[in-house]
Amino acid sequence: GELTEFQGVVLNQMFEILRKQESRFQSQLADHDKLINQARASVAPLTAAESRHVKAMERRQQAQVALDQAHREVVRAESRLSAAQEVMIHALAAVTDSEQALRAQA
């Protein structure tokens, strides 16, 4: 089972090729890691911006709800004002009627 000199040389060359491939793979892995880290770094501000955008949208939604509420209150107030004006018109009419009635009696 002794190796001939030729077989020994061939095995050594194969080992050398495998070592070079392994070292190339290692450096490719390192490059991939670098790329992955760069990608993560570039995604982080996007994620932060997205989260700020979501918060802004939520605030906008809350503001819209408050605005709608205020609008409904204005409509109700206008309706109460309108009713109060009706009452005043009737009261003025009644006062005018009674003034005329008093003049007629005088």
Side-chain angles (χ1 to χ4, degrees):
E2 286 296 310
L3 289 177
T4 66
E5 195 179 334
F6 174 71
Q7 287 173 323
V9 169
V10 169
L11 272 177
N12 279 337
Q13 284 178 338
M14 284 174 71
F15 276 128
E16 199 48 48
I17 289 169
L18 285 173
R19 267 197 291 273
K20 281 182 183 154
Q21 278 185 338
E22 189 192 11
S23 121
R24 205 166 48 242
F25 284 143
Q26 291 296 339
S27 86
Q28 281 177 346
L29 275 176
D31 289 347
H32 285 318
D33 281 348
K34 246 182 271 174
L35 285 173
I36 287 171
N37 288 332
Q38 284 171 355
R40 282 198 185 119
S42 65
V43 164
L46 289 177
T47 307
E50 209 175 24
S51 133
R52 283 194 302 275
H53 176 68
V54 167
K55 285 194 186 97
M57 292 294 282
E58 285 168 358
R59 283 196 298 274
R60 185 179 178 278
Q61 182 63 36
Q62 289 164 353
Q64 187 62 52
V65 166
L67 187 64
D68 292 346
Q69 177 75 27
H71 181 68
R72 283 194 297 273
E73 284 169 15
V74 165
V75 168
R76 280 199 294 269
E78 282 173 345
S79 150
R80 284 196 299 271
L81 182 62
S82 173
Q85 285 172 338
E86 285 290 314
V87 169
M88 276 178 63
I89 288 168
H90 287 306
L92 281 172
V95 167
T96 308
D97 288 349
S98 54
E99 275 180 348
Q100 284 175 349
L102 284 173
R103 276 205 205 94
Q105 283 174 5

